[in-house]
Amino acid sequence: MQERQTRAIEPEPVALAAADGCPINGFVWRRRAPDAGRADRPVVIVNAATSVRCRYYFRFAAFLFEHGHDVVVYDYRGIGESRPSTLRGFRASWLDWGRLDFEAVLQYAAREFAGQPIDVVAHSIGGFVAGLAPSSARIRRIVTMGAQYAYSRDYAPERRRAMLWRWHLLMPVLAALCGYVPAKRLGWMEDTPKGVALSWCRSRARFEDTFGRGPFALDEAERARLVERFAAVRAPLLAISVTDDEFGTVPAIERLLAYFTGSAVTHLRIAPEQIGEAVIGHFAFFHSRFEDTLWQIPLGWLKSAALPEDAPGSVVLPSWRAR
């Protein structure tokens, strides 16, 4: 009965504004007095994948809330609750999602949950976003799932040709023709701002080189400061990947992890059959059918910065540390 009552609690809508005035909207699960403000009750921010609505993570957020965390989910500018009346001509990039949007949510968490540790669970590009915010050093612990920044040579070899066609050829053409990517009507994801599509399709081996030219170009000093922000993060980081994720290959995961030079990182790689499943892929980790299996892994890390003893999968040794 207590579990059903806890899960029945509806989140509160939250409306923020990024430093440039752009509205950032989402939802928050919070425990009121007497638990409010307790140092042993963390607040978890959930960073979504590219063009995935924050509502997709509602059941996972409710699960974390049930297990002693306050939780904030939000949509990046241009997506879901933070979508403007029209995306045509709307300016947004991956950099904006990190430097401005995630930063606004971090500041909100520090202000509204004063005295509580701030943790992050990040899906796909959300792990990259986590290192871009000026306040990322506030984060206590991080869990990522399939986190990378879509460098095409890291895609799974057997899927690379099809992925190049969709994400690096067709997507930018649609963005140029429509002024945004009408991805929802194609069954891909949520409609996506043009600048985000360009961030994706132009992704380079070193992410900062992606932003050395084009409409979101930064000078060399600014690009260096972005890299320094990743290095300033001290949070223990658990990177989870699965063997049937065409985006989250070992090279892709390690490419992003290599920027978190100040963090103790653990890369846990799981095969679907290790939990009795045929498929997990890039998105299914956050499906509620994995509550008793996969969801226990981030829960354990958020509580103790350690893997549960019975965690499936194997730890991948970080080859990038030797570079």
Side-chain angles (χ1 to χ4, degrees):
M1 177 64 73
Q2 178 62 42
E3 177 179 333
R4 287 196 296 270
Q5 290 176 344
T6 301
R7 295 194 183 194
I9 294 175
E10 292 295 321
E12 306 167 21
V14 59
L16 310 175
D20 63 349
C22 185
I24 305 300
N25 299 312
F27 300 89
V28 59
W29 287 256
R30 76 169 83 199
R31 180 74 71 191
R32 298 298 184 178
D35 290 334
R38 286 176 44 174
D40 62 346
R41 184 176 180 84
V43 54
V44 180
I45 300 171
V46 178
N47 282 356
T50 296
S51 301
V52 175
R53 297 189 67 165
C54 68
R55 291 176 180 270
Y56 182 74
Y57 306 93
F58 266 25
R59 291 184 179 180
F60 180 74
F63 166 81
L64 292 180
F65 180 72
E66 172 195 332
H67 286 86
H69 304 76
D70 293 320
V71 188
V72 182
V73 303
Y74 69 103
D75 281 315
Y76 309 120
R77 64 184 63 201
I79 306 299
E81 309 296 321
S82 303
R83 177 173 176 156
S85 58
T86 179
L87 282 178
R88 190 181 300 274
F90 181 73
R91 184 177 173 86
S93 74
W94 277 345
L95 291 183
D96 296 324
W97 286 1
R99 296 187 301 175
L100 295 169
D101 303 352
F102 178 52
E103 174 66 13
V105 179
L106 269 174
Q107 292 188 17
Y108 163 81
R111 181 175 66 251
E112 295 295 320
F113 299 88
Q116 297 177 229
I118 300 174
D119 297 336
V120 171
V121 174
H123 183 199
S124 193
I125 200 62
F128 173 59
V129 164
L132 291 172
S135 298
S136 288
R138 293 179 182 266
I139 304 170
R140 183 188 65 155
R141 291 170 188 157
I142 300 173
V143 178
T144 66
M145 165 55 206
Q148 35 64 50
Y149 50 86
Y151 177 54
S152 61
R153 293 187 181 181
D154 291 338
Y155 292 160
E158 67 276 12
R159 292 285 299 151
R160 187 175 298 148
R161 181 175 297 180
M163 295 171 74
L164 286 170
W165 165 251
R166 175 181 289 192
W167 305 121
H168 297 262
L169 294 174
L170 185 55
M171 183 169 64
V173 169
L174 289 171
L177 291 175
C178 303
Y180 70 102
V181 181
K184 191 168 184 178
R185 72 188 70 174
L186 297 173
W188 293 358
M189 52 192 180
E190 292 296 305
D191 293 343
T192 301
K194 178 179 179 180
V196 171
L198 295 179
S199 298
W200 184 337
C201 71
R202 296 177 179 179
S203 190
R204 306 279 294 276
R206 295 285 303 178
F207 87 80
E208 62 272 25
D209 294 339
T210 306
F211 302 99
R213 56 187 175 84
F216 299 98
L218 304 174
D219 63 32
E220 186 175 350
E222 290 176 302
R223 298 198 302 274
R225 280 193 289 273
L226 291 182
V227 174
E228 290 169 1
R229 286 179 186 171
F230 282 83
V233 176
R234 294 292 183 266
L237 190 160
L238 172 62
I240 302 170
S241 67
V242 295
T243 58
D244 64 333
D245 181 353
E246 59 196 17
F247 291 101
T249 63
V250 170
I253 301 299
E254 290 199 343
R255 191 174 301 279
L256 176 59
L257 288 179
Y259 283 95
F260 288 95
T261 56
S263 295
V265 302
T266 301
H267 179 186
L268 179 68
R269 192 152 179 86
I270 302 169
E273 56 269 23
Q274 291 174 312
I275 60 166
E277 295 285 336
V279 175
I280 301 173
H282 191 57
F283 292 100
F285 185 95
F286 295 96
H287 290 185
S288 56
R289 71 177 184 271
F290 293 127
E291 174 179 339
D292 294 328
T293 52
L294 297 178
W295 288 9
Q296 299 300 318
I297 302 170
L299 180 65
W301 188 268
L302 295 176
K303 288 185 177 297
S304 65
L307 283 174
E309 291 184 1
D310 58 350
S314 57
V315 173
V316 179
L317 297 179
S319 61
W320 55 271
R321 286 289 194 196
R323 295 175 191 167

